[in-house]
């Protein structure tokens, strides 16, 4: 059981380049999330998808777009990368969007923007 | 908006000693979750507390939810090198499961 799988694991971008982080879960979860983690800042929610066909902004959505391609897949796109987007990105999923559901994280994607 | 604060940010512990990390919310929480992230790894769910005053134990880890459901603590006894990592608490916003994570307590163990 792979759980939450995200790619790529490492990426270096030049300022202004675009890229898409891919995420897939095999737990038949309804809700999926993208977080970013910066030193001392904990985990901050970028976007989430409560269920297939819906997406909503989190705490720090600026500079990002998402697509819930189907129930399994939730991608994060950086249209024009900036150095401030250098971070570790985690995709996550949960059974539903209701309070109290455990969140399962992918292994993370280390992104550096130079 | 809701904020979840954790203290201390860093904890240096001598192997074998006990320590406690604290989580405080600006609002009442319906539940609180704790996650552990090993260095270079991803957060992994440890436990969820729901009831006021609830105490749960996992081997050497004791989790407590405050009576007012605005704070929580994690106490580790006889710290081991396997306890190294960052411990996050997280509480849901008023609607849905948009967890707000604390900044984490990074635990370093001195052998």
């Amino acid at each position: 059981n792979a759980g939450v799988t995200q790619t790529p694991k490492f990426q270096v971008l030049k300022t202004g380049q675009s890229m898409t982080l891919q995420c897939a879960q095999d737990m038949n979860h309804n809700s999926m999330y993208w977080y970013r983690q910066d030193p001392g800042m904990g985990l901050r929610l970028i976007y989430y998808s409560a269920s297939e066909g819906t997406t909503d902004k989190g705490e720090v959505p600026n500079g990002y777009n998402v697509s819930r391609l189907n129930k399994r897949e939730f991608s994060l796109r950086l249209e024009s990368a900036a150095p401030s987007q250098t971070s570790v990105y985690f995709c996550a999923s949960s059974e539903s969007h209701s309070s109290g559901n455990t969140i399962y994280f992918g292994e993370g994607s280390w992104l550096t923007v130079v | 908006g809701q904020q979840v604060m954790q203290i201390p940010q860093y904890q240096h512990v001598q192997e074998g000693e006990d320590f406690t990390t604290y989580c405080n919310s600006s609002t009442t929480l319906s539940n609180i979750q704790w996650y552990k992230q090993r260095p270079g790894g991803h957060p992994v769910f440890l436990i969820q507390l729901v009831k006021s005053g609830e105490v749960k134990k996992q081997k050497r880890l004791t989790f407590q939810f405050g009576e007012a459901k605005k704070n929580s603590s994690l106490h580790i006894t006889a710290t081991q090198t396997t306890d190294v990592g960052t411990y996050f608490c997280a509480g849901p916003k008023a609607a849905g499961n948009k967890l707000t994570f604390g900044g984490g307590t990074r635990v370093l163990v001195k052998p």
Side-chain angles (χ1 to χ4, degrees):
Chain A
N1 192 337
V4 180
T5 304
Q6 55 182 107
T7 57
K9 193 168 180 67
F10 300 98
Q11 183 73 51
V12 178
L13 285 178
K14 293 183 179 179
T15 297
Q17 286 185 319
S18 62
M19 77 159 297
T20 299
L21 298 175
Q22 307 286 353
C23 176
Q25 51 91 9
D26 63 2
M27 295 175 282
N28 201 35
H29 284 171
N30 290 299
S31 301
M32 297 186 74
Y33 314 83
W34 276 104
Y35 289 88
R36 61 176 288 174
Q37 184 176 33
D38 303 295
M41 297 291 290
L43 293 152
R44 293 183 293 171
L45 183 64
I46 305 171
Y47 270 93
Y48 70 100
S49 172
S51 60
E52 184 178 357
T54 69
T55 60
D56 284 287
K57 296 178 180 179
E59 302 169 64
V60 288
N62 291 343
Y64 305 95
N65 285 301
V66 291
S67 295
R68 184 73 184 267
L69 304 172
N70 48 55
K71 191 173 185 179
R72 291 186 64 249
E73 298 172 288
F74 188 40
S75 62
L76 178 72
R77 182 161 178 85
L78 286 70
E79 290 291 350
S80 180
S84 61
Q85 294 179 304
T86 294
S87 188
V88 182
Y89 292 85
F90 288 99
C91 179
S93 70
S94 63
E95 185 173 333
S96 77
H97 192 52
S98 62
S99 175
N101 273 260
T102 300
I103 291 186
Y104 297 86
F105 288 85
E107 295 189 347
S109 296
W110 274 254
L111 175 66
T112 302
V113 183
V114 298
Chain B
Q2 175 185 307
Q3 290 187 347
V4 177
M5 307 295 291
Q6 283 186 255
I7 52 172
Q9 188 173 358
Y10 296 95
Q11 181 80 53
H12 295 252
V13 188
Q14 190 72 44
E15 189 174 14
E17 290 186 343
D18 303 351
F19 79 90
T20 303
T21 179
Y22 300 90
C23 176
N24 298 301
S25 171
S26 57
T27 59
T28 301
L29 301 171
S30 58
N31 64 80
I32 194 159
Q33 298 181 11
W34 285 89
Y35 291 77
K36 177 182 178 181
Q37 182 179 26
R38 295 185 186 276
H42 60 281
V44 175
F45 173 79
L46 291 177
I47 209 160
Q48 177 175 267
L49 305 170
V50 179
K51 299 177 182 177
S52 169
E54 187 172 14
V55 178
K56 287 188 176 180
K57 293 188 176 183
Q58 287 182 350
K59 297 183 181 179
R60 295 178 293 101
L61 277 62
T62 301
F63 302 84
Q64 185 165 4
F65 204 6
E67 294 290 340
K69 302 182 76 173
K70 294 181 72 174
N71 55 71
S72 180
S73 64
L74 161 58
H75 181 79
I76 299 182
T77 59
T79 304
Q80 299 178 0
T81 55
T82 54
D83 296 322
V84 166
T86 302
Y87 295 83
F88 292 99
C89 64
K93 284 188 179 279
N97 199 25
K98 291 174 287 182
L99 285 181
T100 298
F101 282 82
T105 294
R106 185 176 174 185
V107 176
L108 304 170
V109 179
K110 295 177 284 187

